Amino acid sequence: MEAERLIAAGRHALAESGTAQDIVAEAWQAQALAQAIGSHLALCGPLEVRGEARGLSEIGEYPAWGAGGPRAAQLTEVGDPSAALTALGALLGEVGIALVGVACATDEEGLYWQCIEAIDAVDESSDRVGGMLRRLALRGHERARPPDRARGRAGPGPGPA
């Protein structure tokens, strides 16, 4: 399944979460999806983002999956890396907000620490996604720039003035 469709499914599932445990489970689903997108981009993405994508693929250790497994296992392609990363950033932001709400509302210490661990992973993933989006934007800006005339000349470029 295409990355943007999986991200949309994750956003919908998060919005439909009825309990604190559902929200935590969806947070780990989102994190697994971030890892899968990172893995895909590290192998097949634009060269500018491959290092950051490799880092994204290694963030977070989520709990054992139930019978359903992670939704991210359905990932088959990332058609538009910029659009997918933008959507993933939005999902991670929504997950972070939901986790903070759960952490603030719970009296259960175990759930609180689960939220804190998930918040840390989501925050680090969001940072990586932001870095990749900046690199892609820079690449787009450089491609839109007119060619430098000095590069077309033979010999060394102009020396210091």
Side-chain angles (χ1 to χ4, degrees):
M1 185 180 293
E2 210 281 325
E4 290 181 74
R5 288 184 60 203
L6 281 170
I7 293 165
R11 291 178 85 177
H12 178 75
L14 179 64
E16 296 293 315
S17 295
T19 67
Q21 290 296 337
D22 290 344
I23 291 170
V24 172
E26 283 307 318
W28 289 116
Q29 288 280 357
Q31 184 58 38
L33 183 54
Q35 288 177 322
I37 290 171
S39 292
H40 183 84
L41 291 176
L43 293 173
C44 308
L47 292 176
E48 297 86 353
V49 302
R50 288 187 180 179
E52 228 22 274
R54 195 170 301 104
L56 179 61
S57 72
E58 298 169 353
I59 297 171
E61 288 295 322
Y62 37 83
W65 296 105
R71 200 177 295 118
Q74 299 173 40
L75 180 70
T76 58
E77 68 176 303
V78 181
D80 180 349
S82 183
L85 290 169
T86 299
L88 180 60
L91 171 61
L92 292 171
E94 291 170 11
V95 165
I97 290 168
L99 287 168
V100 167
V102 171
C104 289
T106 189
D107 292 331
E108 187 180 326
E109 188 174 348
L111 179 59
Y112 173 82
W113 288 110
Q114 286 178 28
C115 289
I116 297 303
E117 183 180 343
I119 289 168
D120 286 345
V122 166
D123 186 47
E124 188 175 347
S125 293
S126 293
D127 289 347
R128 296 274 183 176
V129 167
M132 287 188 282
L133 284 170
R134 284 188 293 280
R135 289 179 191 270
L136 288 174
L138 182 61
R139 177 184 76 157
H141 176 70
E142 287 175 355
R143 287 186 178 175
R145 208 171 59 191
D148 185 358
R149 291 182 188 222
R151 292 182 189 195
R153 287 191 280 162

